[in-house]
């Protein structure tokens, strides 16, 4: 990397996507606001084999609530949480994409019917919601997560890519000097070193001869 950087002919173009899988357990609820930002694209994933108003067995509802736990209740919770914690900077941003799973539990001949039922159910659920312009209802992606060859996984990737490219923050210039340091830290994390002192980070930063981050960086 330093060889190319020193040559003066190499321009680093990096498009980074960081994926966060939010923990749904109650103990994690207070941490969600830390990671919710208008710069993100949100995927709300739910079990498409269940009716939206079907009670989810062995699952409690949210603390302080006395509602029957159903997919509809949880969908509303996630949409409300995202739009509560995300600062409004651009109209209709962030976008929230719905992804149904467990397609393998639905008979093949009923999949498209089930997809339309889910679409109409979600549309009805949020028809009067103030944040409905944030919601991406089409395509309603219905995946079999157990099958890597499921063509809808490619549809999901394509949709994520298109929504990411359409995001107002996409293409913002970022300091390339951050990248080598992040790669060095990522290697240590992969080796099992999860915590580093400030002195160690400064030492890693000093390793690169051509992209050292200064205090002003």
């Amino acid at each position: 990397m330093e060889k190319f950087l020193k040559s003066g002919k190499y321009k680093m173009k990096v498009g980074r996507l960081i994926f966060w899988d939010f923990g749904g357990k109650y103990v994690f609820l207070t941490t969600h606001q830390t990671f919710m930002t208008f710069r993100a694209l949100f995927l709300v994933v739910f079990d498409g084999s269940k009716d939206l108003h079907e009670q989810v067995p062995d699952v409690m509802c949210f603390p302080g609530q006395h509602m029957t736990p159903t997919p509809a209740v949880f969908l509303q919770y996630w949409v409300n949480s995202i739009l509560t914690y995300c600062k409004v900077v651009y109209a209709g941003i962030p976008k929230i994409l719905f992804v149904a799973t467990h397609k393998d539990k639905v008979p093949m001949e009923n999949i498209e019917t089930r997809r339309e039922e889910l679409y109409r159910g979600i549309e009805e659920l949020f028809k009067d919601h103030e944040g409905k312009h944030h919601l991406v209802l089409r395509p309603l992606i219905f995946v079999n997560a157990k099958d890597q060859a499921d063509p809808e996984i490619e549809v999901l990737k394509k949709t994520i890519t298109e929504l990411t490219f359409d995001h107002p923050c996409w293409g913002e210039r970022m300091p390339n000097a951050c990248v080598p340091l992040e790669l060095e830290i990522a290697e240590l994390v992969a080796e099992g070193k999860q915590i580093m002192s400030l002195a160690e980070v400064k030492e890693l930063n000093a390793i690169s001869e051509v992209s050292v981050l200064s205090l002003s960086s």
Side-chain angles (χ1 to χ4, degrees):
M1 183 179 290
E2 290 196 2
K3 178 182 176 182
F4 282 113
L5 288 170
K6 288 177 181 178
S7 71
K9 299 178 181 178
Y10 180 72
K11 292 185 178 180
M12 194 182 302
K13 291 185 178 180
V14 179
R16 293 195 63 194
L17 293 179
I18 301 174
F19 290 85
W20 290 94
D21 182 5
F22 283 37
K25 294 181 179 178
Y26 304 132
V27 69
F28 296 122
L29 296 185
T30 56
T31 68
H32 292 166
Q33 59 189 300
T34 306
F35 307 102
M36 289 183 179
T37 167
F38 72 92
R39 293 178 176 273
L41 165 66
F42 291 90
L43 275 63
V44 176
V45 183
F46 64 101
D47 186 345
S49 70
K50 299 182 184 298
D51 183 82
L52 292 182
H53 300 284
E54 177 183 340
Q55 182 171 352
V56 182
D58 303 320
V59 174
M60 295 173 58
C61 208
F62 298 104
Q65 294 185 350
H66 303 283
M67 304 165 68
T68 301
T70 66
V73 168
F74 291 110
L75 290 178
Q76 289 174 313
Y77 165 80
W78 282 107
V79 168
N80 290 338
S81 292
I82 292 165
L83 298 181
T84 296
Y85 292 123
C86 288
K87 179 182 178 182
V88 176
V89 177
Y90 302 101
I93 297 297
K95 292 297 183 189
I96 302 172
L97 175 65
F98 294 97
V99 181
T101 61
H102 294 75
K103 185 170 65 176
D104 51 299
K105 291 187 176 182
V106 178
M108 184 70 69
E109 64 274 14
N110 295 340
I111 288 175
E112 292 310 314
T113 300
R114 185 73 185 133
R115 188 197 308 273
E116 286 304 312
E117 288 174 352
L118 293 171
Y119 167 76
R120 289 195 299 270
I122 295 174
E123 190 176 43
E124 177 66 21
L125 191 62
F126 292 100
K127 67 177 183 179
D128 297 321
H129 197 284
E130 291 183 359
K132 64 181 180 181
H133 56 295
H134 291 269
L135 310 181
V136 181
L137 300 181
R138 292 288 194 186
L140 180 58
I141 300 169
F142 196 5
V143 301
N144 173 6
K146 294 182 178 179
D147 181 9
Q148 293 183 359
D150 182 357
E152 290 204 53
I153 292 178
E154 288 304 317
V155 175
L156 176 58
K157 291 179 182 179
K158 183 174 183 292
T159 304
I160 291 173
T161 301
E162 290 175 348
L163 290 171
T164 301
F165 285 169
D166 287 341
H167 196 290
C169 293
W170 183 257
E172 285 184 349
R173 294 179 64 84
M174 302 293 287
N176 285 341
C178 295
V179 178
L181 177 58
E182 287 194 18
L183 293 175
E184 293 284 352
I185 293 174
E187 280 192 20
L188 290 178
V189 171
E191 293 170 3
K193 186 168 180 58
Q194 303 289 339
I195 300 175
M196 284 166 270
S197 67
L198 180 59
E200 289 173 308
V201 173
K202 288 181 176 178
E203 183 179 344
L204 285 176
N205 181 43
I207 290 175
S208 175
E209 299 177 5
V210 294
S211 57
V212 178
L213 291 170
S214 65
L215 290 176
S216 60
S217 299

